[in-house]
Amino acid sequence: MTSAIPGAFHPSTRLYRFTILIFISLLVLGSYFAYDSIGALETTLMRELNLDRSTIGNLYTAYSVAAIAIVFFGGMLYDKLGPRKASLLFSTLVFLGAVIVAVAKGKWMLIFGRLIFGAGSESLIVVQSAIISRWFKGKEMAMAFGIALTLSRVGTLFSFNTEELIADHFHSFRTALWAAALLCLFSVVCNLVFIAMDRHGERELSLPKAGAGDKIVFSDLKKFTSSYWFVVLLCVTFYSAIFPFTALSTDMFHDKWGIPLVSASNGGFLTRVFYNFTHMFSTAPGITSIAIAASMFFAPFAGDLVDRLGRRASLMVVGSLLMIPAHLLMGITHWNPIPMMVMLGAAFVLVPAAMWPSVPLVVEENRVGTAFGLMTAIQNLGLALFPYLNGKLRDVTGTYTSTQIMFAGLGLAGLVFAFLLLRADKRHGGVLEAGSSKV
């Protein structure tokens, strides 16, 4: 029999909600770590497995190809299974894909592992968003999403700053890949804790069923305005200039600037990990992680700023503008790349903080799921194509100039779409530029 007076850890309390949020966030910690382990170990994998850069790019392409398929079918599967079964299925796929990558001895097995991994990982992110909406609807939802993003991207930050160190310390790149797989297993364990807490909370609070979040309904497409399509086009160009770049940038910083893969330090493994983090600007993977670290630490604050001040389209213009010189200067000069990576980090904070919350403002409420689903699918088309082009261009030209010009070109295209969005928003009432008091 349920007590009429909730205890300190009753599902209706703030303590319970934020405790379950921690485990919801940790559902994808392992997948974030494992996703970027390929980029963090890029130079070592090419040497040890006799891979070229095109193959490294193809590993990211395989992930995105699986993600595209899951966006179309994952929503229906989630509706059928519910949050607990779906999250367990997808987190298990993430772990299985990471294990296949860890034991792979050739490129085709690596690609197969990344396909399995991508199918589980992108679905798990969808599930995570739906679960957060279920527990925090009307109660600190923006804060909850910000906390979840920050905790999730701890995995990315650690991947770039520890994977090469693990490989170096244990004299085996496979140990580093197994570390990624074990962290995915840790996320499965966190998933089990979430399931127990969610089942208890559902029983006590009679929680409503969570929707799939980004399931695509094709009949909705003709209802979208030009503002929505410009947001989508900006999304695909922007992310195509970020993630395919970071996937292969560790090798660029190491090869072009001679920046070491790990920091030179003595002591035990944990001492070296700590030293690597405190000297991350002196290692190639650490410099790669600057943009991700900026997003991780500042995204919640940027989101709050956007909510209060508005100016969403203008901020997308500024963020797109920052990307162009950042990529160009890394491609055509030998200047210290850290300031350019800081510029890229600033863009990675501003644009997503303004872009994703813009979607519900430019489409009707009953079409938001389709809008997010289509946007994610088109985004992954770019994430499937440009890692391949990045690796291929480097292999063919032998330099980094052409790839950086390509990324700067994507930034320029994004800037055009941002200006077109700003103009379209003025025609549609200026909702994106309005602050919280006017939206």
Side-chain angles (χ1 to χ4, degrees):
M1 183 175 178
T2 305
S3 172
I5 302 176
F9 202 59
H10 187 270
S12 63
T13 64
R14 198 167 186 261
L15 177 61
Y16 195 97
R17 286 200 310 279
F18 278 89
T19 301
I20 201 172
L21 176 63
I22 292 173
F23 290 101
I24 293 169
S25 303
L26 295 177
L27 291 181
V28 299
L29 178 71
S31 65
Y32 272 68
F33 186 97
Y35 174 82
D36 283 306
S37 63
I38 299 298
L41 293 166
E42 173 192 358
T43 303
T44 300
L45 290 175
M46 288 193 298
R47 182 181 67 246
E48 296 292 334
L49 293 177
N50 194 29
L51 305 175
D52 55 22
R53 292 182 182 88
S54 296
T55 300
I56 299 294
N58 286 340
L59 296 180
Y60 284 91
T61 295
Y63 175 97
S64 294
V65 167
I68 293 166
I70 285 299
V71 166
F72 285 99
F73 300 109
M76 292 180 285
L77 184 60
Y78 176 79
D79 278 343
K80 186 175 182 64
L81 295 177
R84 294 189 290 270
K85 290 180 181 178
S87 65
L88 188 57
L89 169 64
F90 296 140
S91 62
T92 302
L93 284 176
V94 166
F95 173 59
L96 178 61
V99 169
I100 294 172
V101 169
V103 301
K105 296 182 179 179
K107 73 173 186 177
W108 292 112
M109 193 171 181
L110 282 168
I111 289 172
F112 176 68
R114 290 290 283 190
L115 281 168
I116 300 298
F117 177 78
S121 180
E122 286 298 305
S123 304
L124 198 57
I125 293 170
V126 171
V127 172
Q128 183 195 50
S129 298
I131 292 169
I132 292 173
S133 298
R134 187 184 195 214
W135 274 92
F136 287 88
K137 188 172 184 179
K139 299 175 182 177
E140 312 110 346
M141 187 182 291
M143 182 191 298
F145 272 102
I147 291 171
L149 178 64
T150 296
L151 290 178
S152 299
R153 285 194 171 156
V154 168
T156 299
L157 189 64
F158 268 81
S159 183
F160 278 116
N161 287 284
T162 64
E163 279 288 77
E164 192 64 60
L165 185 59
I166 292 170
D168 180 71
H169 182 80
F170 292 98
H171 308 292
S172 172
F173 72 95
R174 293 202 183 277
T175 304
L177 292 175
W178 273 111
L182 288 175
L183 201 56
C184 292
L185 180 60
F186 169 74
S187 288
V188 174
V189 174
C190 292
N191 200 342
L192 295 174
V193 176
F194 153 72
I195 287 172
M197 294 187 70
D198 186 73
R199 182 179 288 117
H200 176 63
E202 184 178 69
R203 186 169 56 248
E204 292 289 320
L205 302 177
S206 300
L207 289 175
K209 181 182 177 182
D214 61 357
K215 182 170 62 177
I216 295 176
V217 179
F218 288 99
S219 60
D220 289 344
L221 303 188
K222 60 185 178 182
K223 302 292 185 180
F224 293 144
T225 66
S226 59
S227 291
Y228 168 75
W229 291 112
F230 289 136
V231 171
V232 170
L233 291 169
L234 175 58
C235 175
V236 68
T237 53
F238 177 80
Y239 280 102
S240 294
I242 292 285
F243 289 126
F245 165 74
T246 59
L248 293 167
S249 59
T250 293
D251 179 63
M252 181 179 73
F253 295 137
H254 178 64
D255 185 40
K256 182 175 179 177
W257 279 275
I259 300 169
L261 296 174
V262 296
S263 56
S265 64
N266 299 316
F269 175 68
L270 292 179
T271 301
R272 294 185 69 193
V273 169
F274 177 77
Y275 190 89
N276 226 41
F277 267 100
T278 56
H279 294 76
M280 62 182 285
F281 283 8
S282 64
T283 69
I287 292 174
T288 294
S289 71
I290 288 174
I292 305 298
S295 172
M296 172 184 153
F297 289 116
F298 295 109
F301 303 105
D304 180 62
L305 182 67
V306 168
D307 279 341
R308 288 188 289 107
L309 299 182
R311 302 293 180 185
R312 295 165 185 84
S314 297
L315 287 174
M316 287 185 251
V317 169
V318 173
S320 300
L321 187 61
L322 288 172
M323 293 183 67
I324 301 170
H327 280 303
L328 271 181
L329 290 174
M330 282 189 282
I332 64 178
T333 75
H334 280 78
W335 296 351
N336 188 325
I338 291 176
M340 282 79 88
M341 287 302 294
V342 171
M343 290 174 64
L344 208 58
F348 197 38
V349 170
L350 290 175
V351 174
M355 181 170 60
W356 292 100
S358 295
V359 173
L361 300 178
V362 296
V363 301
E364 296 177 27
E365 184 176 357
N366 63 340
R367 296 188 175 93
V368 169
T370 295
F372 275 124
L374 185 64
M375 187 166 162
T376 302
I378 295 175
Q379 173 196 359
N380 275 286
L381 285 173
L383 297 182
L385 174 63
F386 286 99
Y388 167 77
L389 292 178
N390 187 12
K392 194 69 175 177
L393 279 172
R394 290 191 191 180
D395 285 335
V396 170
T397 65
T399 72
Y400 304 92
T401 303
S402 57
T403 60
Q404 291 308 110
I405 291 174
M406 176 182 72
F407 290 132
L410 286 169
L412 179 60
L415 181 62
V416 172
F417 294 137
F419 273 119
L420 290 173
L421 173 63
L422 188 61
R423 189 174 70 175
D425 182 56
K426 289 179 181 178
R427 291 200 308 269
H428 297 143
V431 66
L432 296 183
E433 292 293 277
S436 58
S437 61
K438 296 180 181 179
V439 174

